[in-house]
Amino acid sequence: MKKVAFICVHNSCRSHIAEALGKKLASDVFESYSAGTQIKPQINQDAVRLMKQLHGIDMEATQYSKLLSDIPEVDVVITMGCNVQCPFIPCSRREDWGLEDPTGKSDEFFMKTIDSIEEKIRNLKEELR
């Protein structure tokens, strides 16, 4: 089974959403991990609240912020649109999803980001099937 890493600067919001949705929607096709080049002490609380509300996922119960060195070797690296130079991570496929960080923005903006990540996870699942 392929391993997919969702990478963001702080591993506190978009990458966690992607890991959670990957586990929920595509665990039969790939394993999902998230990590960052730095970490924050907790997952973004708006993301936690909205993922519980929209998908019934408690990210705080199943996930924590991780550095790149804390995840296994992966086949696919997805950067979330960090606007930074991500370090080299060996993989057979790499892409950037170009998602704007919803931190500090409205619930509506957050929900659009979550919906966009969900669509991209579903597409990735089909591509890796």
Side-chain angles (χ1 to χ4, degrees):
M1 181 174 294
K2 295 225 183 267
K3 291 180 170 81
V4 177
F6 300 99
I7 308 299
C8 225
V9 173
H10 295 117
N11 188 220
S12 64
C13 189
R14 293 164 290 173
S15 53
H16 274 292
I17 293 167
E19 178 184 0
L21 289 173
K23 288 177 176 176
K24 178 179 180 179
L25 302 171
S27 63
D28 58 327
V29 175
F30 60 83
E31 295 175 20
S32 296
Y33 301 91
S34 68
T37 55
Q38 306 167 27
I39 56 172
K40 294 265 184 163
Q42 70 179 19
I43 301 172
N44 180 295
Q45 293 300 290
D46 290 323
V48 169
R49 175 176 53 83
L50 290 168
M51 285 294 288
K52 277 182 191 172
Q53 178 184 318
L54 297 171
H55 291 279
I57 298 170
D58 183 356
M59 293 191 301
E60 289 183 309
T62 60
Q63 295 169 222
Y64 60 94
S65 291
K66 298 167 289 303
L67 292 170
L68 298 174
S69 59
D70 297 329
I71 62 172
E73 290 186 16
V74 296
D75 304 292
V76 179
V77 170
I78 307 289
T79 52
M80 305 307 289
C82 312
N83 298 321
V84 298
Q85 182 64 37
C86 287
F88 177 75
I89 302 167
C91 61
S92 58
R93 175 178 172 173
R94 174 184 300 268
E95 64 183 81
D96 181 68
W97 283 358
L99 299 167
E100 186 178 339
D101 187 356
T103 300
K105 297 195 167 50
S106 68
D107 280 3
E108 291 73 29
F109 191 90
F110 252 98
M111 289 187 279
K112 285 180 185 174
T113 301
I114 291 169
D115 288 346
S116 179
I117 292 171
E118 179 179 357
E119 179 181 348
K120 289 175 180 298
I121 292 286
R122 290 182 188 280
N123 291 340
L124 183 62
K125 177 181 178 178
E126 290 307 309
E127 292 169 19
L128 297 179
R129 191 178 289 279

